């Protein structure tokens, strides 16, 4: 890490997923922090993270969004940050053949910490809103292409994500009807690990 860099980047147990933890600089006005630097993230992931689209979602308490990913091509890597409220954020390895396929990593994100999670192509993302009026920011590597979104049910018992729900979550009809991981594999919806590795290699060559 550069001495003037005000955040830490650490790889999660799922390869090609990273947690970015900022170091806040407080003063009497409030605080300031760096969310990320392009050069630092590029060094960590091994290829440039170019931002092609920025999205925001606003969710009520108890909302469960995901698991969402994007097919290859075109792919769509994401840097996800909770900018208001608090969430239980989950990255899931959906790359068929990956040594960590089906494994997940949980990150508690909130507006106070400023923690972000980067997920490469082939990784799925989901979150549970722990407060009302949650706002999530998504910086995406490419523009959205209709028909390329991959949906896997976040309540898939085989994945076993510990959402610790006390009542039925608020979900879109699409998310609630999404296939489980086994069904998505059988339908050929998920990318393979080899396809993703080849995709990462092409990004390094650009």
């Amino acid at each position: 890490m550069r001495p003037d860099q005000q955040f830490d980047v650490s790889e999660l147990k799922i390869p090609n997923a990273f947690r970015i933890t900022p170091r806040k600089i407080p003063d009497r006005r409030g605080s300031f922090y760096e969310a990320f630097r392009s050069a630092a993230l590029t060094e960590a992931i091994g290829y440039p993270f170019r931002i092609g689209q920025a999205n925001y979602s606003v969710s009520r308490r108890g909302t469960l969004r995901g698991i969402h990913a994007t097919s290859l091509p075109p792919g769509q890597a994401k840097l996800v940050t909770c900018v208001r409220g608090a969430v239980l954020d989950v990255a899931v390895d959906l790359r068929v053949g990956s040594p960590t396929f089906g494994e997940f990593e949980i990150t508690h994100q909130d507006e106070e910490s400023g923690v972000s999670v980067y997920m490469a192509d082939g990784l799925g993302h989901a979150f549970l809103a722990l407060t009302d009026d949650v706002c999530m920011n998504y910086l995406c590597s490419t523009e959205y292409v209709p028909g390329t979104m991959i949906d896997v049910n976040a309540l898939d018992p085989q994945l076993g994500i510990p959402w610790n729900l006390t009542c039925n979550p608020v979900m879109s009809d699409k998310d609630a009807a999404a296939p489980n991981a086994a069904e998505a594999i059988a339908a050929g919806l998920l990318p393979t690990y080899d396809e993703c590795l080849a995709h990462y290699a092409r990004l390094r060559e650009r």
Side-chain angles (χ1 to χ4, degrees):
M1 183 179 68
R2 289 173 45 173
D4 63 334
Q5 185 172 300
Q6 296 298 319
F7 57 87
D8 297 310
V9 182
S10 57
E11 190 166 21
L12 306 184
K13 68 178 182 182
I14 300 171
N16 310 110
F18 294 82
R19 184 178 293 122
I20 301 173
T21 305
R23 300 177 182 179
K24 289 196 171 185
I25 304 171
D27 63 24
R28 63 177 177 273
R29 300 167 297 177
S31 63
F32 171 87
Y33 64 92
E34 293 183 2
F36 86 103
R37 290 189 189 185
S38 178
L41 188 56
T42 294
E43 181 180 359
I45 67 178
Y47 48 81
F49 176 59
R50 297 186 174 95
I51 299 171
Q53 182 170 327
N55 303 327
Y56 289 88
S57 67
V58 178
S59 305
R60 57 183 284 195
R61 184 192 299 265
T63 292
L64 180 57
R65 293 182 185 256
I67 303 166
H68 300 149
T70 307
S71 60
L72 287 173
Q76 192 182 61
K78 299 182 181 74
L79 180 66
V80 182
T81 313
C82 179
V83 295
R84 186 173 65 234
V87 303
L88 197 68
D89 191 81
V90 180
V92 186
D93 193 343
L94 298 179
R95 301 168 295 188
V96 178
S98 165
T100 55
F101 176 79
E103 294 187 20
F104 55 85
E105 183 88 10
I106 296 174
T107 301
H108 186 277
Q109 291 197 41
D110 59 48
E111 61 188 87
E112 293 301 320
S113 70
V115 169
S116 300
V117 176
Y118 169 84
M119 286 156 282
D121 300 290
L123 302 182
H125 174 249
F127 73 84
L128 175 68
L130 302 178
T131 61
D132 281 321
D133 205 27
V134 160
C135 184
M136 296 290 285
N137 169 238
Y138 312 75
L139 298 181
C140 306
S141 62
T142 59
E143 295 182 12
Y144 169 68
V145 177
T148 62
M149 181 175 283
I150 297 169
D151 301 301
V152 174
N153 200 300
L155 300 176
D156 180 353
Q158 293 302 310
L159 294 177
I161 300 172
W163 297 111
N164 297 322
L165 298 169
T166 57
C167 59
N168 291 331
V170 181
M171 303 175 72
S172 70
D173 292 341
K174 180 170 68 71
D175 284 353
N180 61 35
E183 292 167 338
I185 293 172
L189 300 177
L190 304 184
T192 69
Y193 188 51
D194 287 343
E195 287 172 340
C196 291
L197 293 180
H199 177 71
Y200 307 152
R202 287 192 295 271
L203 292 175
R204 286 192 290 271
E205 294 169 358
R206 290 182 182 175

